Amino acid sequence: MLRQDQLFIAAPIRDGARETLARLLETMTAAPGQADPENPLLPFGRMATVHVARFVILDDPSLPDRQITPQLPATEPLQLAFIADCDGPADDLLHALVELAAPGLRQIFGHCAGCDDTTDLTGWLRAHRIRPSAIYANWPGRSVAQVREEAALHAVLRQARLAHPLASPDQLREILVN
């Protein structure tokens, strides 16, 4: 069965860089909340093993609640998290990401502490990788290729049904086979 894995990288955002980083991440979307798979910074759509990938700015809005718990730190640094679910080992995905989009990754993670144009990007990403204790796979063993093939098949079947709304399933089978 195909192995699925998750790559999770988190790093503190430099002081004062949140707004600039947020605007940069917005350039990666086709619409609010909708990633552009061909965005120039990190074209996820060109990665044959990526099921889902996302960048998230992690902030803790509950910090004021810590006034009643003095044993906890009063502040937490803002973090940039990159999370991707993939087919195959996450290490392979990490190498593929750097190979495909090193300039875009540098531009994004350059808003984080310790990452600049001279940083060994692969080493920096590895150093900020967090290994998950558990991974959720909606359908274990179902590859990105299979998901795309099934989506294409669904589109063909839907198109045939819309073109022949009164056809029986057997008639549709004949239409599709011929």
Side-chain angles (χ1 to χ4, degrees):
M1 181 187 323
L2 174 74
R3 177 182 170 205
Q4 293 167 321
D5 208 350
Q6 185 179 78
L7 180 62
F8 180 19
I9 297 167
I13 298 171
R14 294 175 199 245
D15 288 339
R18 178 192 179 132
E19 294 308 316
T20 306
L21 175 58
R23 283 193 302 274
L24 180 64
L25 295 177
E26 286 174 8
T27 70
M28 299 174 67
T29 61
Q34 180 181 351
D36 176 0
E38 292 301 320
N39 77 79
L41 291 173
L42 184 49
F44 299 113
R46 295 187 200 163
M47 306 204 70
T49 63
V50 173
H51 285 267
V52 216
R54 65 205 67 71
F55 282 98
V56 179
I57 295 175
L58 301 176
D59 191 2
D60 187 350
S62 69
L63 288 175
D65 296 345
R66 292 187 176 196
Q67 293 173 1
I68 60 170
T69 53
Q71 69 273 22
L72 295 175
T75 62
E76 293 286 341
L78 286 174
Q79 300 268 332
L80 173 62
F82 172 73
I83 307 163
D85 297 337
C86 62
D87 294 338
D91 286 335
D92 291 354
L93 176 60
L94 179 68
H95 290 291
L97 284 167
V98 172
E99 201 170 290
L100 174 68
L105 289 169
R106 282 188 186 286
Q107 194 173 349
I108 295 165
F109 285 111
H111 292 84
C112 295
C115 187
D116 59 32
D117 290 340
T118 63
T119 304
D120 167 23
L121 185 59
T122 302
W124 188 89
L125 291 170
R126 275 194 188 122
H128 289 85
R129 182 172 177 196
I130 298 170
R131 301 224 183 239
S133 298
I135 297 171
Y136 172 77
N138 186 48
W139 201 314
R142 191 172 180 208
S143 69
V144 172
Q146 183 179 353
V147 169
R148 290 178 178 161
E149 289 168 357
E150 290 171 358
L153 175 60
H154 175 79
V156 167
L157 293 173
R158 180 171 167 70
Q159 185 178 15
R161 170 51 72 200
L162 291 173
H164 305 280
L166 301 177
S168 70
D170 289 335
Q171 291 169 323
L172 279 177
R173 186 177 302 113
E174 287 301 315
I175 292 167
L176 290 168
V177 170
N178 297 325

